Structure formats: C-alpha cells, structure tokens
Amino acid sequence: MSRALLVRSVGPGVTVQDLGREGFLAFGLSRGGAADCLAIAEGAVLLGQSGHLAALEMAGQGGRFEAEGDVRIALTGAPMRATIDGAAVQWNASHMLKAGQVISIGAVTEGTYGYLHVGGGIATMPVLGSRSTQLTAGIGSLVRAGARLPIGAEEHEGGATGLGLAVEDRFNGGRVRCVPSAQTGRFSAETRTRFEATEFVRDLRGNRQGVRLNHGSAPFTAEGQLSIPSEIIVPGDIQIIGDGTPYVLLPECQTMGGYPRIGTVVPDDLPIVAQADPGVTLTFEFVTVDDALHWHRRNRQTVDELRKGLQRLVRDPRDMRDLLSYQLIGGVTSGDDSDS
C-alpha cells in the first residue's frame, strides 16, 4: 500500500512547499517556495534525504495528520506544540509515525512558519518542476481537512529517527543585512543612515508576498520616486511604499514593481524577516555585495555541515564511553523505615 498523510484537521495557512521554481521570472512567475528555506534544509538533514523534497509549511497553526503506513517525520522552523497520540514530541527533531498514529500540531510558540517533513517527501503532482503551492499564481491550493497527501519513496531504506538538531534563533527578529539595490542611490545619505538607525516593528499586515514594517521615524523618501518605471523585483527587495514605509518582499511576491527600493535583504537573512511575528523588532545594516557573497558561500558550507550537529534524543548507553560518570540511579531509599 502506498504511504500518505491523511489530513484530519488543519489550520488556515497550510501549504505544500519545496525550494520553489527557478527560471520563470521573465514569464511573470516568482520563485515561490518555502518562506524559510533553512527549515527545509534542516528537515532534510534530520531525515537524511535530499533538500529538494516537499514538506508542509504551516503558517501560525498546524493540524492533525494521520499516518497511512509507517512514516518518518521531522519538525523544523518556528516551534509549535506537537504530540503523537497525545504524547509530547520535541521540535527540531525526527520521529517515527507508525501506521494509524496521529501527529497533532498546534499554534506557534514563536516565529511564523513551522514545517512538517516526511521521509520521501510530499509527492503531490509537480507543476513547472516544483511541488510548491503558489496561491497568487493559481498553482496548487491550501491543504484542506479530508485530503490525502501522497508520500514519495524513501531515498534510503532504514533511515534513522530520534535525532535532534540544535539551530540558531531566527524567530525573534534582530539585525538583518541588506545590499544596495537599483534605487538606493536615490535616497540621500542622511536617509540611508536613518534607515539603518531605525528600529522597525513587524506589522500585522503580511503574508507570503511580503511584510510591512512600522516605525516611529519620518517617512523615507527617494528623489523622483513618483517617476520610477515598473521593473523586475525579487524576494528580499525592500520597497518604500507611498507613505514612506518599508515593505520587504517574500518568496511569493509579484515580479514587477515601481516603488523605490532602498536595498535588498541578503538571502541568508530573509528567513529572519519571514519568521518575524507581528510586533517583533527588526533593524537593517547595509553590507557590500562582496561581503554578502562571502557570507552566502560560508552559509552554504554551514548548511552542509548541519548534520554534524545531529544528536540522539535518547542517548544509547553503548555510545556513552564515560558511563560511570553518569548518575544512572538517584533518590534511592531503603525499604526499611527503621534508622540504622
């Protein structure tokens, strides 16, 4: 019997996502794909499989999913409360979901996008070389209760579970690096300096297309901003919309725009923006393209080295060379109540 996840109930923003579609920008289709690509890589490491397989992206709320057949799973991205048949399970970890068992995933505890990965990947029908849902382009749809999500064949038989992965915090805002963009030079040096010095707060308004950032500063304006022709825009671009407020574009953004762009968030930091909860503070720092490329190459190596951070959730005594240094028994009392 083919394996699948049966959707018993589901939150309002759950979609199938992988790394997206490349090469279609000229045709008016942005890359799309997971809002947090690092979470996709982490899931691949936990399950020991390709980083191009599709997973479930859960925006703010998960759902209840029943295993049809034994399924290895991993949980990454924004932490959410999760249980298997009522027993709590660890986030940033891999687990076995036996046939008939149900994993229940609740609301995020921090961040925005959590991910449920399966061994073999979600095997929905590819469109233009990707399984990513892109609602703005009419590709795919939200996951609905009652759906049966097919699972692909495992790349390697006998894959492990019960592994955890330590990850850096990218769910509480912070510093975001950006490089100069097409219209950066239209903003005065004073405006660019003020932009770097401003603390922005993630607005309630935001989705997979982009997020609005509020601030208590004066509006950010560019020279001749009303005469800028529409041109190609990409995820990470920081548009300054009509009222002088920044809007950071995310993977499902449009492909053309006429608002001035003060900068572009480097790809390695875009998950920080995507994962920011409403009310979280973000600041920006301009860096050179050469520095951004250097960090990007180093970050790719870091992703490749993620597997070195894998740890067993329950240590096997055979792996504990210093076994005698552990207190394996504690709180022992005598069965004899008399004083000795």
Side-chain angles (χ1 to χ4, degrees), residues 228-232 256-258:
I228 296 173
S230 291
E231 57 186 1
I232 291 173
M256 298 287 288

Side-chain angles (χ1 to χ4, degrees), residues 197-257:
T198 299
E199 289 190 346
F200 297 95
V201 177
R202 160 76 153 83
D203 190 85
L204 285 170
R205 286 164 284 188
N207 52 31
R208 284 177 41 82
Q209 292 182 273
V211 296
R212 177 186 172 99
L213 301 178
N214 295 324
H215 61 94
S217 177
F220 295 92
T221 58
E223 180 183 350
Q225 64 184 33
L226 298 180
S227 61
I228 296 173
S230 291
E231 57 186 1
I232 291 173
I233 53 178
V234 296
D237 277 349
I238 309 170
Q239 290 185 321
I240 304 298
I241 61 176
D243 63 1
T245 300
Y247 198 97
V248 183
L249 303 183
L250 293 181
E252 207 166 311
C253 66
Q254 67 273 30
T255 58
M256 298 287 288

Side-chain angles (χ1 to χ4, degrees), residues 33-312:
D36 185 350
C37 289
L38 183 53
I40 296 292
E42 291 165 348
V45 168
L46 283 164
L47 293 175
Q49 61 186 14
S50 168
H52 292 84
L53 298 179
L56 286 184
E57 179 179 275
M58 303 169 289
Q61 183 81 25
R64 298 177 65 251
F65 309 94
E66 180 181 338
E68 191 176 272
D70 293 350
V71 181
R72 295 190 309 134
I73 64 168
L75 302 166
T76 68
M80 297 172 156
R81 294 182 176 87
T83 63
I84 294 178
D85 284 355
V89 293
Q90 185 170 320
W91 205 259
N92 293 316
S94 61
H95 310 278
M96 177 60 74
L97 194 62
K98 293 286 189 180
Q101 286 190 314
V102 174
I103 180 166
S104 300
I105 303 176
V108 292
T109 57
E110 58 182 0
T112 300
Y113 296 100
Y115 294 83
L116 169 60
H117 310 256
V118 296
I122 302 294
T124 50
M125 184 66 68
V127 177
L128 299 176
S130 169
R131 293 184 167 89
S132 282
T133 300
Q134 198 159 347
L135 298 176
T136 55
I139 300 175
S141 61
L142 293 170
V143 173
R144 305 292 187 188
R148 180 181 184 272
L149 301 174
I151 296 174
E154 291 264 22
E155 294 177 337
H156 308 287
E157 292 295 331
T161 55
L163 299 174
L165 186 66
V167 301
E168 293 185 5
D169 178 22
R170 59 183 183 277
F171 310 109
N172 292 286
R175 182 179 66 97
V176 177
R177 297 166 296 185
C178 60
V179 294
S181 190
Q183 288 87 38
T184 303
R186 288 179 177 255
F187 294 85
S188 69
E190 183 276 330
T191 298
R192 296 196 301 270
T193 299
R194 182 163 56 89
F195 181 79
E196 287 187 284
T198 299
E199 289 190 346
F200 297 95
V201 177
R202 160 76 153 83
D203 190 85
L204 285 170
R205 286 164 284 188
N207 52 31
R208 284 177 41 82
Q209 292 182 273
V211 296
R212 177 186 172 99
L213 301 178
N214 295 324
H215 61 94
S217 177
F220 295 92
T221 58
E223 180 183 350
Q225 64 184 33
L226 298 180
S227 61
I228 296 173
S230 291
E231 57 186 1
I232 291 173
I233 53 178
V234 296
D237 277 349
I238 309 170
Q239 290 185 321
I240 304 298
I241 61 176
D243 63 1
T245 300
Y247 198 97
V248 183
L249 303 183
L250 293 181
E252 207 166 311
C253 66
Q254 67 273 30
T255 58
M256 298 287 288
Y259 288 122
R261 290 164 287 170
I262 197 169
T264 300
V265 175
V266 302
D268 303 306
D269 286 0
L270 197 53
I272 298 174
V273 180
Q275 291 285 16
D277 270 336
V280 163
T281 299
L282 296 164
T283 60
F284 294 88
E285 175 188 1
F286 283 106
V287 298
T288 67
V289 173
D290 286 342
D291 282 343
L293 287 172
H294 170 72
W295 290 320
H296 185 59
R297 295 188 190 101
R298 188 175 65 182
N299 191 57
R300 289 182 63 180
Q301 294 173 350
T302 301
V303 170
D304 292 339
E305 293 175 357
L306 275 174
R307 57 182 55 88
K308 294 181 182 178
L310 289 172
Q311 296 181 339
R312 294 183 186 276

